[in-house]
Amino acid sequence: MPASTSVTLNTGAIMPTVGLGTWKSKPGQVEHAVEFALKNGYRHIDTAAGYANETEVGQGLKASGVPRDQVFVTTKLDNPDQRHVPEALEASLSKLDTPYIDLWLMHWPAPMTRDGKADKDYDWLDTWKAMEDVHLAHPEKLKAIGVSNFSVEYLERLLKVARVVPAVNQIELHPSCPQHDVVAYCQSKGIVLTAYSPLGSDNSPLLKNTAVNKIAEKYGVQPANILISLHANKPGHTVLPKSVTNERILNNAKIVDLTDAEIDELHKIDETHHFRACHPAWTGWGGLGFPDCK
């Protein structure tokens, strides 16, 4: 299939396929990155309370001059805020200096305390119920809700009781972590997938992979473009390349149409070289149901 430029969420909202990721993008750099991306065609920005840069992302949004209703903004509920959902939403709205958020994700199904420990006395399912409450009560300021870093096991538990089916599940996705089980499950439920770390995170070995480079040479693009394009060529997927340098922000937006054979070749990389850049163990909640983390 030819690469998509947008996907439709289960709310009916349109979400641009390629978004600017801002994880590890520091204040002082991220304002310019967001402004530059929006001035050069990006219409989807992804941030999180946990990135500690929502204020600067909001400044970049304003400085771009692009009308708010033309930009899709995602942010995320931080793990230590899971007991305080309404307050956390207001804090994000205030920092981003925006009247509404297009998509708010539970960052991890892993409640934590302020001092960085697992909050074992609290259930993330109650967090989701509180997110549903605020979305259903105030759809004008919270357009859609979703999840991030959810395995099939956790999604099954959620959907048994959910009043609102998550619009999106944002997970690590790249040829060395294709998570076919999560992808198939989400697609069967109409949940859009957003790929984070599409290059395999910092200094990724995937950029030197022979299969990736062979396909890049064929299309006359950088290896990064192939890794980003992989997701744009799949139904119901969006993707978040991240950078704070102008040249890379521009380059990352170049998407190519891949053949089915090329997509299969990229998927085969996982058979000989599997890795997950963002293992969930740091949360104190173990493997969170992911088969390769058990």
PDB file of all heavy atoms in Angstrom, residues 5 15 37 51 67 75 84-87 94 99 113 123 126 135 158 167 188 211 228-229 244 253 256 265 270 272 275:
ATOM      1  N   THR A   5      -0.694   9.639   4.739  1.00  0.00           N
ATOM      2  CA  THR A   5      -0.320  10.955   5.288  1.00  0.00           C
ATOM      3  C   THR A   5      -1.099  11.243   6.567  1.00  0.00           C
ATOM      4  O   THR A   5      -0.729  12.115   7.336  1.00  0.00           O
ATOM      5  CB  THR A   5      -0.583  12.081   4.269  1.00  0.00           C
ATOM      6  OG1 THR A   5      -1.948  11.990   3.834  1.00  0.00           O
ATOM      7  CG2 THR A   5       0.323  11.944   3.046  1.00  0.00           C
ATOM      8  N   MET A  15      -5.509  12.176  12.433  1.00  0.00           N
ATOM      9  CA  MET A  15      -4.191  12.285  13.062  1.00  0.00           C
ATOM     10  C   MET A  15      -3.119  12.168  11.978  1.00  0.00           C
ATOM     11  O   MET A  15      -3.051  11.153  11.284  1.00  0.00           O
ATOM     12  CB  MET A  15      -4.026  11.158  14.089  1.00  0.00           C
ATOM     13  CG  MET A  15      -2.731  11.169  14.868  1.00  0.00           C
ATOM     14  SD  MET A  15      -2.745   9.777  16.060  1.00  0.00           S
ATOM     15  CE  MET A  15      -1.297  10.160  17.048  1.00  0.00           C
ATOM     16  N   ALA A  37       9.543  22.759  12.826  1.00  0.00           N
ATOM     17  CA  ALA A  37       8.788  21.639  12.243  1.00  0.00           C
ATOM     18  C   ALA A  37       7.440  22.116  11.711  1.00  0.00           C
ATOM     19  O   ALA A  37       7.044  21.785  10.582  1.00  0.00           O
ATOM     20  CB  ALA A  37       8.594  20.535  13.283  1.00  0.00           C
ATOM     21  N   TYR A  51       8.376  14.442  30.111  1.00  0.00           N
ATOM     22  CA  TYR A  51       9.538  14.983  29.372  1.00  0.00           C
ATOM     23  C   TYR A  51       9.979  16.339  29.933  1.00  0.00           C
ATOM     24  O   TYR A  51      11.023  16.857  29.531  1.00  0.00           O
ATOM     25  CB  TYR A  51       9.223  15.168  27.884  1.00  0.00           C
ATOM     26  CG  TYR A  51       8.800  13.929  27.131  1.00  0.00           C
ATOM     27  CD1 TYR A  51       8.232  14.040  25.862  1.00  0.00           C
ATOM     28  CD2 TYR A  51       8.959  12.653  27.658  1.00  0.00           C
ATOM     29  CE1 TYR A  51       7.823  12.917  25.147  1.00  0.00           C
ATOM     30  CE2 TYR A  51       8.550  11.531  26.955  1.00  0.00           C
ATOM     31  CZ  TYR A  51       7.978  11.669  25.696  1.00  0.00           C
ATOM     32  OH  TYR A  51       7.576  10.566  24.987  1.00  0.00           O
ATOM     33  N   PRO A  67      -2.288  27.987  12.990  1.00  0.00           N
ATOM     34  CA  PRO A  67      -3.483  27.980  13.848  1.00  0.00           C
ATOM     35  C   PRO A  67      -3.585  26.684  14.650  1.00  0.00           C
ATOM     36  O   PRO A  67      -3.281  25.602  14.143  1.00  0.00           O
ATOM     37  CB  PRO A  67      -4.649  28.112  12.859  1.00  0.00           C
ATOM     38  CG  PRO A  67      -4.056  28.712  11.624  1.00  0.00           C
ATOM     39  CD  PRO A  67      -2.630  28.239  11.568  1.00  0.00           C
ATOM     40  N   THR A  75      -0.104  14.693  24.422  1.00  0.00           N
ATOM     41  CA  THR A  75       0.737  14.680  25.609  1.00  0.00           C
ATOM     42  C   THR A  75       0.327  13.484  26.459  1.00  0.00           C
ATOM     43  O   THR A  75      -0.577  12.728  26.086  1.00  0.00           O
ATOM     44  CB  THR A  75       0.729  16.024  26.374  1.00  0.00           C
ATOM     45  OG1 THR A  75       1.780  15.977  27.356  1.00  0.00           O
ATOM     46  CG2 THR A  75      -0.600  16.304  27.056  1.00  0.00           C
ATOM     47  N   HIS A  84      -4.024  11.513  40.415  1.00  0.00           N
ATOM     48  CA  HIS A  84      -4.500  12.906  40.338  1.00  0.00           C
ATOM     49  C   HIS A  84      -4.792  13.294  38.883  1.00  0.00           C
ATOM     50  O   HIS A  84      -4.235  14.259  38.360  1.00  0.00           O
ATOM     51  CB  HIS A  84      -3.447  13.851  40.923  1.00  0.00           C
ATOM     52  CG  HIS A  84      -2.933  13.409  42.261  1.00  0.00           C
ATOM     53  ND1 HIS A  84      -3.683  13.493  43.414  1.00  0.00           N
ATOM     54  CD2 HIS A  84      -1.756  12.829  42.623  1.00  0.00           C
ATOM     55  CE1 HIS A  84      -2.981  13.014  44.425  1.00  0.00           C
ATOM     56  NE2 HIS A  84      -1.815  12.603  43.972  1.00  0.00           N
ATOM     57  N   VAL A  85      -5.665  12.535  38.245  1.00  0.00           N
ATOM     58  CA  VAL A  85      -5.902  12.697  36.810  1.00  0.00           C
ATOM     59  C   VAL A  85      -6.457  14.079  36.439  1.00  0.00           C
ATOM     60  O   VAL A  85      -5.896  14.751  35.570  1.00  0.00           O
ATOM     61  CB  VAL A  85      -6.803  11.550  36.288  1.00  0.00           C
ATOM     62  CG1 VAL A  85      -7.347  11.857  34.896  1.00  0.00           C
ATOM     63  CG2 VAL A  85      -5.996  10.250  36.264  1.00  0.00           C
ATOM     64  N   PRO A  86      -7.525  14.576  37.064  1.00  0.00           N
ATOM     65  CA  PRO A  86      -8.052  15.882  36.637  1.00  0.00           C
ATOM     66  C   PRO A  86      -7.027  17.004  36.810  1.00  0.00           C
ATOM     67  O   PRO A  86      -6.889  17.872  35.934  1.00  0.00           O
ATOM     68  CB  PRO A  86      -9.269  16.109  37.549  1.00  0.00           C
ATOM     69  CG  PRO A  86      -9.641  14.750  38.045  1.00  0.00           C
ATOM     70  CD  PRO A  86      -8.361  13.978  38.139  1.00  0.00           C
ATOM     71  N   GLU A  87      -6.284  16.972  37.918  1.00  0.00           N
ATOM     72  CA  GLU A  87      -5.277  18.009  38.166  1.00  0.00           C
ATOM     73  C   GLU A  87      -4.142  17.926  37.140  1.00  0.00           C
ATOM     74  O   GLU A  87      -3.623  18.950  36.679  1.00  0.00           O
ATOM     75  CB  GLU A  87      -4.689  17.859  39.574  1.00  0.00           C
ATOM     76  CG  GLU A  87      -5.693  18.053  40.702  1.00  0.00           C
ATOM     77  CD  GLU A  87      -6.487  16.807  41.062  1.00  0.00           C
ATOM     78  OE1 GLU A  87      -6.406  15.775  40.346  1.00  0.00           O
ATOM     79  OE2 GLU A  87      -7.229  16.873  42.070  1.00  0.00           O
ATOM     80  N   SER A  94      -2.363  23.947  30.975  1.00  0.00           N
ATOM     81  CA  SER A  94      -1.776  25.225  31.376  1.00  0.00           C
ATOM     82  C   SER A  94      -0.364  25.384  30.817  1.00  0.00           C
ATOM     83  O   SER A  94      -0.010  26.427  30.265  1.00  0.00           O
ATOM     84  CB  SER A  94      -1.768  25.296  32.905  1.00  0.00           C
ATOM     85  OG  SER A  94      -1.037  26.403  33.331  1.00  0.00           O
ATOM     86  N   PRO A  99      -6.240  25.536  24.765  1.00  0.00           N
ATOM     87  CA  PRO A  99      -7.579  25.274  25.303  1.00  0.00           C
ATOM     88  C   PRO A  99      -7.959  23.793  25.290  1.00  0.00           C
ATOM     89  O   PRO A  99      -8.884  23.379  25.988  1.00  0.00           O
ATOM     90  CB  PRO A  99      -8.508  26.081  24.390  1.00  0.00           C
ATOM     91  CG  PRO A  99      -7.747  26.270  23.119  1.00  0.00           C
ATOM     92  CD  PRO A  99      -6.289  26.282  23.485  1.00  0.00           C
ATOM     93  N   THR A 113       5.294   6.626  42.708  1.00  0.00           N
ATOM     94  CA  THR A 113       5.274   7.662  43.735  1.00  0.00           C
ATOM     95  C   THR A 113       6.156   8.823  43.263  1.00  0.00           C
ATOM     96  O   THR A 113       6.907   8.692  42.301  1.00  0.00           O
ATOM     97  CB  THR A 113       5.821   7.114  45.057  1.00  0.00           C
ATOM     98  OG1 THR A 113       7.157   6.635  44.832  1.00  0.00           O
ATOM     99  CG2 THR A 113       4.961   5.968  45.576  1.00  0.00           C
ATOM    100  N   ASP A 123      -4.087   0.962  41.324  1.00  0.00           N
ATOM    101  CA  ASP A 123      -4.304   0.167  40.117  1.00  0.00           C
ATOM    102  C   ASP A 123      -4.442   1.101  38.914  1.00  0.00           C
ATOM    103  O   ASP A 123      -5.281   2.009  38.926  1.00  0.00           O
ATOM    104  CB  ASP A 123      -5.592  -0.657  40.297  1.00  0.00           C
ATOM    105  CG  ASP A 123      -5.820  -1.653  39.177  1.00  0.00           C
ATOM    106  OD1 ASP A 123      -5.185  -1.532  38.106  1.00  0.00           O
ATOM    107  OD2 ASP A 123      -6.663  -2.562  39.372  1.00  0.00           O
ATOM    108  N   ASP A 126      -7.850   2.052  37.542  1.00  0.00           N
ATOM    109  CA  ASP A 126      -8.571   3.190  38.123  1.00  0.00           C
ATOM    110  C   ASP A 126      -8.140   4.507  37.466  1.00  0.00           C
ATOM    111  O   ASP A 126      -8.930   5.441  37.350  1.00  0.00           O
ATOM    112  CB  ASP A 126      -8.346   3.252  39.638  1.00  0.00           C
ATOM    113  CG  ASP A 126      -9.020   2.076  40.349  1.00  0.00           C
ATOM    114  OD1 ASP A 126     -10.109   1.666  39.904  1.00  0.00           O
ATOM    115  OD2 ASP A 126      -8.441   1.558  41.324  1.00  0.00           O
ATOM    116  N   HIS A 135     -12.614  12.814  30.069  1.00  0.00           N
ATOM    117  CA  HIS A 135     -12.866  12.900  28.615  1.00  0.00           C
ATOM    118  C   HIS A 135     -14.366  12.983  28.328  1.00  0.00           C
ATOM    119  O   HIS A 135     -14.814  13.813  27.524  1.00  0.00           O
ATOM    120  CB  HIS A 135     -12.255  11.678  27.925  1.00  0.00           C
ATOM    121  CG  HIS A 135     -12.711  11.483  26.508  1.00  0.00           C
ATOM    122  ND1 HIS A 135     -12.528  12.423  25.523  1.00  0.00           N
ATOM    123  CD2 HIS A 135     -13.353  10.442  25.919  1.00  0.00           C
ATOM    124  CE1 HIS A 135     -13.042  11.962  24.392  1.00  0.00           C
ATOM    125  NE2 HIS A 135     -13.555  10.776  24.602  1.00  0.00           N
ATOM    126  N   LEU A 158      -7.861  -4.085  30.125  1.00  0.00           N
ATOM    127  CA  LEU A 158      -8.483  -2.762  29.984  1.00  0.00           C
ATOM    128  C   LEU A 158      -9.825  -2.849  29.246  1.00  0.00           C
ATOM    129  O   LEU A 158     -10.834  -2.293  29.689  1.00  0.00           O
ATOM    130  CB  LEU A 158      -7.530  -1.833  29.222  1.00  0.00           C
ATOM    131  CG  LEU A 158      -8.056  -0.442  28.869  1.00  0.00           C
ATOM    132  CD1 LEU A 158      -8.273   0.380  30.126  1.00  0.00           C
ATOM    133  CD2 LEU A 158      -7.092   0.279  27.952  1.00  0.00           C
ATOM    134  N   ALA A 167      -7.983   5.383  21.805  1.00  0.00           N
ATOM    135  CA  ALA A 167      -7.849   5.779  20.403  1.00  0.00           C
ATOM    136  C   ALA A 167      -6.513   5.317  19.838  1.00  0.00           C
ATOM    137  O   ALA A 167      -6.395   5.008  18.649  1.00  0.00           O
ATOM    138  CB  ALA A 167      -7.982   7.298  20.273  1.00  0.00           C
ATOM    139  N   SER A 188      -7.155  -5.191  15.342  1.00  0.00           N
ATOM    140  CA  SER A 188      -8.440  -5.906  15.433  1.00  0.00           C
ATOM    141  C   SER A 188      -9.467  -5.126  16.250  1.00  0.00           C
ATOM    142  O   SER A 188     -10.664  -5.344  16.123  1.00  0.00           O
ATOM    143  CB  SER A 188      -8.235  -7.295  16.045  1.00  0.00           C
ATOM    144  OG  SER A 188      -8.040  -7.206  17.445  1.00  0.00           O
ATOM    145  N   ALA A 211      20.293  -4.477   5.227  1.00  0.00           N
ATOM    146  CA  ALA A 211      18.992  -4.480   4.540  1.00  0.00           C
ATOM    147  C   ALA A 211      18.422  -3.063   4.485  1.00  0.00           C
ATOM    148  O   ALA A 211      17.910  -2.623   3.447  1.00  0.00           O
ATOM    149  CB  ALA A 211      18.020  -5.412   5.261  1.00  0.00           C
ATOM    150  N   ILE A 228      11.567   5.165   9.221  1.00  0.00           N
ATOM    151  CA  ILE A 228      10.361   5.962   9.509  1.00  0.00           C
ATOM    152  C   ILE A 228       9.231   5.572   8.542  1.00  0.00           C
ATOM    153  O   ILE A 228       8.081   5.390   8.952  1.00  0.00           O
ATOM    154  CB  ILE A 228      10.682   7.473   9.411  1.00  0.00           C
ATOM    155  CG1 ILE A 228      11.690   7.862  10.505  1.00  0.00           C
ATOM    156  CG2 ILE A 228       9.412   8.324   9.529  1.00  0.00           C
ATOM    157  CD1 ILE A 228      12.407   9.179  10.261  1.00  0.00           C
ATOM    158  N   SER A 229       9.591   5.397   7.269  1.00  0.00           N
ATOM    159  CA  SER A 229       8.593   5.067   6.243  1.00  0.00           C
ATOM    160  C   SER A 229       7.929   3.715   6.493  1.00  0.00           C
ATOM    161  O   SER A 229       6.767   3.511   6.119  1.00  0.00           O
ATOM    162  CB  SER A 229       9.240   5.057   4.852  1.00  0.00           C
ATOM    163  OG  SER A 229       9.691   6.339   4.492  1.00  0.00           O
ATOM    164  N   VAL A 244      16.168  17.755  17.123  1.00  0.00           N
ATOM    165  CA  VAL A 244      16.114  19.203  17.375  1.00  0.00           C
ATOM    166  C   VAL A 244      16.962  19.949  16.351  1.00  0.00           C
ATOM    167  O   VAL A 244      17.146  21.153  16.450  1.00  0.00           O
ATOM    168  CB  VAL A 244      16.585  19.563  18.811  1.00  0.00           C
ATOM    169  CG1 VAL A 244      15.579  19.051  19.841  1.00  0.00           C
ATOM    170  CG2 VAL A 244      17.979  19.025  19.103  1.00  0.00           C
ATOM    171  N   ALA A 253      10.880  13.942   7.422  1.00  0.00           N
ATOM    172  CA  ALA A 253       9.522  14.037   6.878  1.00  0.00           C
ATOM    173  C   ALA A 253       9.416  13.408   5.484  1.00  0.00           C
ATOM    174  O   ALA A 253       8.320  13.300   4.940  1.00  0.00           O
ATOM    175  CB  ALA A 253       9.082  15.497   6.826  1.00  0.00           C
ATOM    176  N   VAL A 256       8.805   7.349   1.900  1.00  0.00           N
ATOM    177  CA  VAL A 256       8.773   6.639   0.614  1.00  0.00           C
ATOM    178  C   VAL A 256       7.773   5.485   0.674  1.00  0.00           C
ATOM    179  O   VAL A 256       7.515   4.920   1.747  1.00  0.00           O
ATOM    180  CB  VAL A 256      10.170   6.117   0.208  1.00  0.00           C
ATOM    181  CG1 VAL A 256      11.116   7.268  -0.060  1.00  0.00           C
ATOM    182  CG2 VAL A 256      10.759   5.185   1.247  1.00  0.00           C
ATOM    183  N   GLU A 265      11.266  -7.819   4.332  1.00  0.00           N
ATOM    184  CA  GLU A 265      12.716  -7.869   4.549  1.00  0.00           C
ATOM    185  C   GLU A 265      13.092  -7.109   5.830  1.00  0.00           C
ATOM    186  O   GLU A 265      13.923  -7.572   6.623  1.00  0.00           O
ATOM    187  CB  GLU A 265      13.436  -7.249   3.337  1.00  0.00           C
ATOM    188  CG  GLU A 265      14.908  -7.554   3.297  1.00  0.00           C
ATOM    189  CD  GLU A 265      15.602  -7.031   2.032  1.00  0.00           C
ATOM    190  OE1 GLU A 265      14.915  -6.498   1.140  1.00  0.00           O
ATOM    191  OE2 GLU A 265      16.831  -7.148   1.981  1.00  0.00           O
ATOM    192  N   ASP A 270      14.364  -8.704  12.877  1.00  0.00           N
ATOM    193  CA  ASP A 270      14.097  -9.103  14.266  1.00  0.00           C
ATOM    194  C   ASP A 270      14.483 -10.559  14.539  1.00  0.00           C
ATOM    195  O   ASP A 270      14.820 -10.910  15.678  1.00  0.00           O
ATOM    196  CB  ASP A 270      12.610  -8.877  14.580  1.00  0.00           C
ATOM    197  CG  ASP A 270      12.251  -9.209  16.016  1.00  0.00           C
ATOM    198  OD1 ASP A 270      12.840  -8.588  16.918  1.00  0.00           O
ATOM    199  OD2 ASP A 270      11.409 -10.085  16.240  1.00  0.00           O
ATOM    200  N   THR A 272      17.084 -12.176  13.684  1.00  0.00           N
ATOM    201  CA  THR A 272      18.500 -12.347  14.027  1.00  0.00           C
ATOM    202  C   THR A 272      19.017 -11.260  14.958  1.00  0.00           C
ATOM    203  O   THR A 272      20.076 -11.393  15.553  1.00  0.00           O
ATOM    204  CB  THR A 272      19.369 -12.337  12.751  1.00  0.00           C
ATOM    205  OG1 THR A 272      19.065 -11.152  12.002  1.00  0.00           O
ATOM    206  CG2 THR A 272      19.087 -13.552  11.892  1.00  0.00           C
ATOM    207  N   PHE A 275      16.041  -6.329  19.760  1.00  0.00           N
ATOM    208  CA  PHE A 275      16.333  -5.549  20.964  1.00  0.00           C
ATOM    209  C   PHE A 275      15.184  -4.597  21.251  1.00  0.00           C
ATOM    210  O   PHE A 275      14.423  -4.224  20.364  1.00  0.00           O
ATOM    211  CB  PHE A 275      17.661  -4.775  20.860  1.00  0.00           C
ATOM    212  CG  PHE A 275      17.659  -3.624  19.880  1.00  0.00           C
ATOM    213  CD1 PHE A 275      17.235  -2.345  20.254  1.00  0.00           C
ATOM    214  CD2 PHE A 275      18.119  -3.804  18.574  1.00  0.00           C
ATOM    215  CE1 PHE A 275      17.242  -1.282  19.357  1.00  0.00           C
ATOM    216  CE2 PHE A 275      18.131  -2.744  17.673  1.00  0.00           C
ATOM    217  CZ  PHE A 275      17.698  -1.484  18.066  1.00  0.00           C
TER     218      PHE A 275
END
